[in-house]
Amino acid sequence: MTTTALPSDVALRRLATTDSTPTSSANISPLDSPRSSPSSTSLSSLASEDAVLQKPVVAGADKKVQLIDTYGNSFEIPDYTIGDIHKAIPKHCFERSAAKGLYYVGRDIVTLATTFYLFHRFVTPENIPSTPVRAGLWFLYTVINGLVGTGLWVLAHECGHQSFSPSKVLNDTVGWICHSALLVPYFSWKISHGKHHKATGNMARDMVFVPVTKDEYASKRGYLVHQIQELAEETPIVTFYALIAQQLGGWPAYLFFNVTGHNNHESQREGRGKGKHNGFGGGVNHFDPKSPLYEAKDSYLILLSDLGLLITLSALYWVGKTYGMANLFVWYIAPYLWVNHWLVAITYLQHTDPSLPHYLPESWTYTRGAAATIDREFGFIGRHLMHGIIETHVLHHYISTIPFYNADEATEAIKKVMGRHYRSDTKDGSLGFLKSVWKSFRWCNWVEPLEGTTGEDAGVLFYRNRNGLGMPPKPDQK
């Protein structure tokens, strides 16, 4: 396994300048935007945390500040188009098979049912008198079905992107059933997620993951901006608490309050965003047909999504009333919480890494935003239980209609086009994936532009942190 954005000692200590602007497309060409599809309505090896970094400097009037990522490595804006990406991918990679899609859905459902049957049949007081042993085995059940349930979630995600099969009706039917069973509002999520793909990495328009700025980071913690650099780094226990809160509450908080999505709702073209804001009581959520996340034409789809949730909740109420809440918790709620955990971890690590940029609207293009993602490696779990969503996410942001079983081949094809702009972190495999959650949480506190940049470079933002890791934040005027 290799890493393609590895921090190096040379880069970490470099005073970087350049004489020319990296070749890029300043404007969005007709090809440099997502293709319309039926779906429209988430590095490093462990770099030394003690590395001493130097700021880039301007070396003369004819030179400009080189963009530098959080590690201290030089960064160049992508210089290819979405058309180049499409041309590089073999035609057969775009082919979708309903039979294959249904096979994988059937496989996941049978696995969930078989696991439940085996544990329910054999992990009983009669067969295993020891309560601690039984509890441990049932905990194992929640982990297994949480992983398999995440895979079923991913297949519904394929349906939302129309990569499941050539049939839109089949896609939306399977997606609605599978996502509703996992308490996901299918069409509501599909619409907002499609907009996320159209604006990935755009600080003003991304519908799923907009990192906080330094001002926002400070205000959420009750600090003045200039205090951040004067404070000691956060203790491991504080970091751990915040990480647990994110992993347990991140997904419902996104659905109910649109946390991590953009908060620029006044620009909603039908005026639905007037006075609306993210957070409790802000009127921005995935359940209300009048939410500014949607348009009037979407109303019946939002209601259909809510109906799917109502059916599932009614079934769960019956199970709890018939078999007891303790059984309902072990059989469904605990695996459901594992699914939420994996969804948040996957999405977070797809868009959060010290090597990744984000863009202000004036510097953003579709091609640049799609490249602001990273592939990771989760071994057998990622490739077989979660259907490769972790390992091939960069490709997915360029062309979301390619089915997951063709994504590895297509990823290899686009690497030749992306070159140095393709990022992956596969060091240490599954263990490395888990380590990255902790590392990114400490390295990536907020985003900001590099001091001294001008023009479109001033609209390229990188992660900085209060923990003294990597490149230091910009100095603030007190």
Side-chain angles (χ1 to χ4, degrees):
M1 299 298 182
T2 59
T3 301
T4 60
L6 198 64
S8 64
D9 290 338
V10 174
L12 288 174
R13 294 167 175 80
R14 170 166 48 200
L15 292 178
T17 61
T18 182
D19 293 304
S20 60
T21 304
T23 305
S24 63
S25 175
N27 299 312
I28 305 177
S29 69
L31 283 176
D32 203 19
S33 59
R35 288 186 173 183
S36 59
S37 74
S39 65
S40 60
T41 353
S42 236
L43 330 185
S44 65
S45 60
L46 294 176
S48 170
E49 296 190 353
D50 299 319
V52 179
L53 305 181
Q54 298 179 352
K55 294 183 180 180
V57 298
V58 178
D62 59 336
K63 296 190 177 183
K64 60 184 280 256
V65 174
Q66 170 68 56
L67 291 172
I68 298 291
D69 67 18
T70 312
Y71 288 126
N73 292 324
S74 62
F75 173 85
E76 295 184 9
I77 295 174
D79 52 3
Y80 51 86
T81 69
I82 189 63
D84 297 328
I85 294 289
H86 275 271
K87 291 174 186 176
I89 299 173
K91 299 298 182 185
H92 63 266
C93 289
F94 293 87
E95 295 175 2
R96 301 162 291 173
S97 168
K100 280 188 179 180
L102 290 171
Y103 159 75
Y104 283 108
V105 168
R107 189 198 73 174
D108 285 358
I109 292 175
V110 168
T111 302
L112 290 168
T114 301
T115 303
F116 175 79
Y117 171 79
L118 291 175
F119 277 81
H120 187 261
R121 174 68 176 80
F122 296 107
V123 184
T124 63
E126 294 77 18
N127 294 320
I128 305 175
S130 172
T131 300
V133 172
R134 275 200 324 278
L137 288 172
W138 276 107
F139 176 77
L140 178 62
Y141 159 86
T142 69
V143 173
I144 294 172
N145 271 10
L147 292 170
V148 179
T150 304
L152 189 63
W153 195 103
V154 172
L155 293 177
H157 166 266
E158 292 264 303
C159 292
H161 283 292
Q162 307 302 311
S163 59
F164 184 80
S165 82
S167 169
K168 185 177 185 297
V169 173
L170 178 63
N171 294 339
D172 286 341
T173 300
V174 173
W176 180 76
I177 293 172
C178 292
H179 261 175
S180 295
L182 294 168
L183 293 179
V184 178
Y186 172 73
F187 291 103
S188 308
W189 162 85
K190 170 185 169 181
I191 295 167
S192 66
H193 189 72
K195 293 177 180 179
H196 158 62
H197 271 255
K198 291 180 178 179
T200 305
N202 188 316
M203 290 292 291
R205 292 177 46 220
D206 193 335
M207 297 288 284
V208 172
F209 197 85
V210 179
V212 296
T213 63
K214 193 174 184 179
D215 285 347
E216 292 167 338
Y217 178 87
S219 64
K220 287 183 178 181
R221 286 157 179 78
Y223 303 141
L224 297 176
V225 174
H226 72 265
Q227 288 180 314
I228 292 178
Q229 289 168 246
E230 300 170 358
L231 298 171
E233 67 176 292
E234 291 185 332
T235 62
I237 189 65
V238 171
T239 301
F240 180 74
Y241 174 80
L243 185 57
I244 292 298
Q246 170 184 284
Q247 294 307 115
L248 289 179
W251 175 241
Y254 170 67
L255 292 179
F256 280 95
F257 308 120
N258 199 46
V259 299
T260 74
H262 78 72
N263 203 17
N264 187 28
H265 303 296
E266 291 286 344
S267 63
Q268 207 275 350
R269 61 184 181 183
E270 294 180 347
R272 291 168 165 236
K274 188 174 182 180
K276 302 289 182 68
H277 60 84
N278 295 345
F280 182 78
V284 183
N285 62 68
H286 283 73
F287 309 103
D288 184 357
K290 296 181 180 179
S291 171
L293 299 178
Y294 312 112
E295 299 172 6
K297 66 181 179 61
D298 301 321
S299 294
Y300 79 99
L301 293 174
I302 311 309
L303 293 174
L304 186 56
S305 300
D306 294 344
L307 175 62
L309 300 183
L310 181 61
I311 293 171
T312 299
L313 289 171
S314 298
L316 293 175
Y317 173 79
W318 178 85
V319 171
K321 186 176 181 180
T322 304
Y323 298 100
M325 288 302 298
N327 282 329
L328 176 63
F329 179 83
V330 175
W331 295 347
Y332 181 92
I333 297 176
Y336 167 80
L337 292 176
W338 277 114
V339 172
N340 285 1
H341 156 71
W342 290 119
L343 290 177
V344 173
I346 290 167
T347 303
Y348 178 68
L349 291 181
Q350 286 167 342
H351 300 276
T352 310
D353 188 85
S355 69
L356 295 181
H358 282 75
Y359 296 91
L360 297 179
E362 56 268 23
S363 298
W364 178 90
T365 68
Y366 178 78
T367 301
R368 296 171 183 178
T373 56
I374 182 172
D375 288 341
R376 300 187 186 271
E377 177 65 46
F378 203 21
F380 176 86
I381 292 173
R383 292 188 174 276
H384 297 282
L385 297 185
M386 297 181 180
H387 308 297
I389 194 172
I390 296 167
E391 292 77 11
T392 58
H393 195 69
V394 176
L395 167 79
H396 176 68
H397 265 279
Y398 276 116
I399 306 172
S400 59
T401 53
I402 291 179
F404 74 90
Y405 42 80
N406 292 336
D408 280 317
E409 182 180 357
T411 293
E412 291 303 313
I414 70 170
K415 286 180 183 179
K416 300 172 184 176
V417 175
M418 295 184 68
R420 65 190 180 279
H421 303 295
Y422 172 79
R423 289 174 177 76
S424 68
D425 182 3
T426 60
K427 181 177 173 58
D428 297 332
S430 298
L431 182 59
F433 176 80
L434 297 175
K435 286 180 179 178
S436 293
V437 179
W438 177 263
K439 182 180 180 183
S440 292
F441 208 77
R442 281 181 54 78
W443 280 70
C444 305
N445 291 166
W446 68 82
V447 292
E448 63 180 40
L450 191 65
E451 184 181 12
T453 51
T454 58
E456 69 174 2
D457 287 359
V460 184
L461 283 56
F462 283 100
Y463 285 105
R464 299 292 184 258
N465 60 79
R466 59 168 287 189
N467 296 313
L469 305 173
M471 292 294 295
K474 288 197 311 179
D476 290 293
Q477 299 296 325
K478 297 186 180 182

